[in-house]
Amino acid sequence: MSHTSSRQLPDKDDTPTAEDPTPTVLPERRSAEDGHRDDAHRDDAPRDDEEAAPTDTEPEAGEATTAADTAADTSTAEDTAKPDDTSTAGDTAKPDDTSTADGTPKPDDTSTPDGTPKADGAPETAPDPEATAEAEAEAAPDTRAVPETDPETDSDLATPDPTSPDPDPATPDPETPGPTDPSPAAPDSAPGRPGWRGKHPDAARVLAWTATGIAVALVLFALLVPNDLARFTPSRFVRIPAEGILGAALLLVLPPKPRRIAAVVGGVGLGLLTILKFLDMGFYWSLERPFDLVLDWVLLDDAESFLKDSIGGGGALAVVVGVIALAVAVVALMTWSVVRLTRLMASRRHFAGRTLLVLGTAWMTCSVLTLEVAGVPVASRSAATLLENRADAVRAGIKDGRAFAQQASVDAFADTPSDQLLTGLRGKDVIFAFIESYGRSAIDDPAMTEPINETLTAKTKELSDAGYSSQSAWLRSPVAGAGSWLAHSTFLSGLWIKNQQRYRNLTSGNRMTLTEAFRRTDAWRTVGIMPGVTRAWPEGKFFGLDHIYDSRQLGYQGPKFSWSPVPDQYSLAAFERLEHGKKHSKPLMSEIILTSSHNPWAPIPKTIPEDQVGDGSVYDAIHDAGKDPKEVWKDPAKVRDEYRKAIQYSVTSLVDYVAKHGNKNTVLVFLGDHQPNRTVTGDKAGRDVPIAIVAHDQGVLDRISDWNWTDGLKPATDAPEWRMDTFRDRFLTAYGPKPTS
């Protein structure tokens, strides 16, 4: 007959075990040397869960003590829940590895009295009170309502209530984090410690809601922010984005694993969309057009060079590092935002579905009724429209190469004999001068009109006193804010050079430019004064220039004025010293690029007596006394004022040179290359630039009398406005052979 010996428990632990739910007063523990067992606690009838244990062997006193110690360590006092188990009130929970009182390991699963494993949730066949606690513990999870769960649920979205019982690990609750065990750990595990969220539930709840709010704000910002600073208004952010509703609905219906992948991909895509909008903002501000995903990457290198010239190498490096860090942060934050919101929707599926249904209905209603806030439609699909337009632009950019090649192949003067080119200018010294950023805003803007008009009026009179006549009009540049070389090549080639791809195609072909036409006649020596060129410029040969003087060949020993390497007055003085003042067997055709009016317009050189120019060292003091561009650019009004002064300086330097060093054979054609950026022009300025022709010989101007230009250097408001690419053919026609009657 099997029997069970009484357990020897510590004196201070009178907690009843699961095998004996009735509290029993235990006798004082005997010493191990006694060797006798207390038969007062012997059960004559065997228990069901002990039938598998040996019955004929009695443990030694030391073994009984060890078993009792183990049982005491694995139990808890006063109904305390154990890890990985849940007990009902009044019962003591047992861990999964709890052994029976005699040391025999007990199976993890609840078994029937005969040892057969019992299915979860099956009713007990016998109301054995000793197994009640275990049976209730096993059956308890089956009687609880299990909510709809998702393995992606973020534990940060709900703050645990420290007063509530820990959930059964067999049924994880997606709304709460994992169980926190405040009770002592089992002997073979480290003591459990409550987490930060458990210690500070209110702060954790506030932090979770704050993080969710930030995620929502970032996603809405990416979808609704315009790609042009001119349209950056509060009304842009009170719209309903269709892309957000459709994207959220897609994420909600996907299975867990595809949903996780889609959330990451969507977040990265949203980050890249935000970066594209930032690039567009910069290009609209500086170039009056969006960023070209195919052709404009080369311009980023030019932007870095501009920063080096403006704020120094260290400052430029800091800006570049900051921009890269910002781009990485934008992608990371957008990805985090989408993933977090996806988990939130997955844990609140019904609420998320109802919310999306309401938003979708509201979007359709606003779209049908064309509701607007401050002129901006409430129903927005701006992000999708932007991507569609950009995809169209990419396709158009790819096709543009072939279209441009066809345009370049048509040249009305390609086969014109050289002896019939420019016959109306033979024997004249012709100068084509470009004044950087000299745009129509310099003349028409009320903030600058009066001082610049005074300068133009005074310089017109100065030329007239020197025997020169002048006429002026408007040309429309292909660029604005920057890209001078594109405007120069448009003016000289007669083709619309609006991007870098066209420029490369042009300079790699054999199109005859205006300057090349002069060289082709063999009646002029052609030279270029290029102070803005600081390295080799192989395109010079394409433009038909026999010799090019760049910033390294002008002999300048003074300081740079921000981006401009050489002051305009010095460039013209060097031209006189190196070319114009020398005797040549042929007249000169010169292309001169004046750079002092280039952004950032501070510091600005000052006009000084020509005999003091020397090697340029005199400009050190002028530069040091000038304004700091970083200070100027803190105030748009100061930027406009410095721009105006720079234009006045460049126009004055050029006209003073012609009035002093020109002669009866001098012909000057000068124009702006493009408008300045929006800080100067505002948001609604066009791309027109002024152009003027100055000649000592009245017959030169008589040939363009049918152009109906305005007399003087200041074009009238209603003066002709031509596209810049039409000038070459008009000029070659006007100064070619006179048509026979």
Side-chain angles (χ1 to χ4, degrees):
M1 176 178 179
S2 64
H3 57 274
T4 303
S5 63
S6 64
R7 292 168 300 184
Q8 296 180 351
L9 300 177
D11 295 341
K12 296 182 180 180
D13 189 356
D14 58 356
T15 305
T17 63
E19 291 85 351
D20 188 5
T22 305
T24 305
V25 179
L26 299 179
E28 181 178 356
R29 179 180 176 180
R30 298 179 181 179
S31 62
E33 291 84 355
D34 192 351
H36 296 287
R37 302 176 60 190
D38 189 356
D39 293 336
H41 297 282
R42 178 182 306 169
D43 296 329
D44 294 334
R47 289 198 300 268
D48 293 338
D49 58 350
E50 293 177 346
E51 291 182 358
T55 59
D56 297 332
T57 303
E58 294 183 343
E60 297 294 333
E63 295 175 352
T65 302
T66 303
D69 293 340
T70 303
D73 290 340
T74 57
S75 64
T76 57
E78 298 178 359
D79 302 313
T80 304
K82 285 295 294 176
D84 301 328
D85 198 1
T86 304
S87 62
T88 60
D91 294 326
T92 303
K94 294 165 59 179
D96 294 338
D97 60 351
T98 303
S99 303
T100 58
D102 60 359
T104 305
K106 183 175 180 284
D108 293 338
D109 296 331
T110 304
S111 303
T112 58
D114 61 355
T116 305
K118 179 172 65 70
D120 291 345
E124 295 286 352
T125 58
D128 190 348
E130 297 179 3
T132 300
E134 182 175 356
E136 290 179 356
E138 292 292 330
D142 295 335
T143 62
R144 295 165 54 187
V146 181
E148 184 177 359
T149 61
D150 191 292
E152 299 179 57
T153 302
D154 190 352
S155 61
D156 292 345
L157 300 180
T159 304
D161 186 355
T163 63
S164 62
D166 294 329
D168 191 333
T171 310
D173 187 352
E175 309 249 350
T176 60
T180 302
D181 180 22
S183 64
D188 58 345
S189 64
R193 298 177 181 176
W196 181 86
R197 292 181 177 83
K199 293 181 178 179
H200 308 281
D202 293 337
R205 187 178 298 108
V206 171
L207 182 62
W209 278 106
T210 302
T212 300
I214 292 174
V216 172
L218 287 174
V219 170
L220 289 178
F221 177 85
L223 292 174
L224 297 177
V225 66
N227 64 338
D228 186 355
L229 287 173
R231 296 186 287 124
F232 199 98
T233 58
S235 60
R236 293 278 170 181
F237 298 96
V238 293
R239 297 179 294 163
I240 304 174
E243 304 85 357
I245 298 173
L246 294 176
L250 175 63
L251 291 172
L252 196 60
V253 301
L254 287 175
K257 186 174 181 180
R259 179 164 58 240
R260 288 193 296 269
I261 297 174
V264 173
V265 172
V268 172
L270 205 59
L272 295 177
L273 173 65
T274 306
I275 293 174
L276 176 60
K277 289 186 176 183
F278 286 161
L279 286 171
D280 282 354
M281 290 179 189
F283 271 67
Y284 271 118
W285 176 79
S286 60
L287 299 177
E288 292 288 340
R289 63 174 179 83
F291 180 77
D292 191 315
L293 289 169
V294 177
L295 306 173
D296 282 343
W297 296 105
V298 66
L299 299 182
L300 299 182
D301 181 63
D302 295 327
E304 181 186 7
S305 300
F306 171 74
L307 287 173
K308 289 181 179 178
D309 295 331
S310 301
I311 61 178
L317 179 61
V319 171
V320 171
V321 172
V323 168
I324 294 175
L326 177 62
V328 174
V330 166
V331 174
L333 284 173
M334 290 302 172
T335 303
W336 168 81
S337 299
V338 175
V339 170
R340 182 177 184 85
L341 295 179
T342 300
R343 289 175 174 175
L344 179 63
M345 291 190 302
S347 66
R348 309 285 194 277
R349 300 180 68 88
H350 297 301
F351 176 77
R354 290 192 297 268
T355 302
L356 291 176
L357 180 61
V358 171
L359 290 175
T361 303
W363 188 94
M364 294 181 64
T365 302
C366 294
S367 177
V368 171
L369 299 178
T370 63
L371 297 181
E372 296 183 350
V373 175
V376 178
V378 175
S380 168
R381 58 183 303 271
S382 58
T385 301
L386 174 65
L387 293 178
E388 291 172 5
N389 293 341
R390 202 50 51 88
D392 292 340
V394 169
R395 289 191 292 267
I398 295 173
K399 296 178 181 178
D400 185 65
R402 295 190 296 269
F404 179 75
Q406 294 177 355
Q407 296 173 13
S409 64
V410 179
D411 186 353
F413 292 90
D415 299 326
T416 302
S418 59
D419 60 352
Q420 296 184 27
L421 289 171
L422 300 164
T423 55
L425 293 175
R426 298 297 174 100
K428 306 294 184 183
D429 290 325
V430 181
I431 301 173
F432 292 99
F434 293 91
I435 296 180
E436 173 67 36
S437 300
Y438 181 28
R440 184 165 188 163
S441 294
I443 297 174
D444 287 351
D445 192 318
M448 297 177 282
T449 294
E450 184 174 350
I452 288 185
N453 285 347
E454 289 178 356
T455 298
L456 294 176
T457 299
K459 293 307 169 184
T460 299
K461 185 177 184 304
E462 181 180 344
L463 289 172
S464 179
D465 293 343
Y468 292 90
S469 300
S470 58
Q471 292 185 351
S472 56
W474 307 104
L475 295 181
R476 184 165 300 117
S477 176
V479 294
S484 300
W485 65 97
L486 303 180
H488 301 168
S489 56
T490 296
F491 178 81
L492 297 174
S493 69
L495 294 172
W496 193 249
I497 311 300
K498 62 181 181 180
N499 55 50
Q500 190 66 18
Q501 176 178 280
R502 288 194 167 203
Y503 179 80
R504 289 195 296 263
N505 291 343
L506 171 69
T507 55
S508 62
N510 57 2
R511 173 84 173 187
M512 185 184 73
T513 62
L514 193 55
T515 46
E516 165 65 18
F518 280 88
R519 189 198 64 80
R520 189 175 294 185
T521 65
D522 199 30
W524 282 272
R525 170 176 167 78
T526 59
V527 299
I529 305 296
M530 308 289 180
V533 176
T534 58
R535 52 192 175 188
W537 188 50
E539 297 96 319
K541 291 298 181 183
F542 165 78
F543 288 104
L545 301 175
D546 295 327
H547 188 78
I548 297 174
Y549 297 90
D550 61 25
S551 59
R552 301 165 297 177
Q553 298 172 313
L554 294 176
Y556 181 66
Q557 300 300 317
K560 291 179 64 175
F561 286 80
S562 290
W563 182 89
S564 177
V566 182
D568 291 346
Q569 187 180 10
Y570 182 91
S571 296
L572 293 165
F575 170 61
E576 180 66 20
R577 181 182 74 251
L578 296 172
E579 286 288 345
H580 189 264
K582 294 181 177 180
K583 291 184 178 181
H584 299 284
S585 58
K586 301 176 183 178
L588 285 175
M589 190 291 301
S590 309
E591 180 185 357
I592 302 176
I593 311 297
L594 301 179
T595 62
S596 292
S597 53
H598 194 287
N599 186 340
W601 309 301
I604 303 171
K606 293 183 178 180
T607 303
I608 59 177
E610 187 174 348
D611 57 1
Q612 296 181 15
V613 172
D615 64 356
S617 300
V618 68
Y619 289 102
D620 287 327
I622 298 175
H623 175 274
D624 295 341
K627 295 182 179 180
D628 185 346
K630 294 188 290 294
E631 294 299 321
V632 168
W633 278 81
K634 293 179 180 179
D635 184 355
K638 292 181 179 179
V639 174
R640 287 190 289 271
D641 192 51
E642 295 305 304
Y643 165 77
R644 170 190 55 83
K645 293 176 182 178
I647 294 298
Q648 288 178 291
Y649 169 78
S650 295
V651 171
T652 297
S653 298
L654 180 59
V655 172
D656 287 353
Y657 171 79
V658 172
K660 181 175 182 178
H661 296 286
N663 53 56
K664 64 179 182 179
N665 290 321
T666 299
V667 176
L668 169 66
V669 180
F670 77 96
L671 67 153
D673 47 16
H674 55 72
Q675 284 264 59
N677 64 39
R678 286 186 174 183
T679 305
V680 176
T681 65
D683 301 330
K684 298 181 180 179
R687 296 190 175 188
D688 288 352
V689 298
I691 181 173
I693 297 180
V694 179
H696 199 283
D697 183 358
Q698 183 61 38
V700 173
L701 296 180
D702 290 341
R703 280 183 169 254
I704 63 170
S705 58
D706 59 341
W707 289 4
N708 299 317
W709 283 19
T710 303
D711 290 335
L713 301 180
K714 177 183 177 297
T717 304
D718 59 350
E721 300 174 2
W722 300 342
R723 278 175 43 131
M724 192 176 281
D725 58 341
T726 65
F727 184 82
R728 187 205 73 153
D729 289 2
R730 291 177 183 270
F731 190 86
L732 292 176
T733 300
Y735 294 103
K738 285 188 176 292
T740 58
S741 56

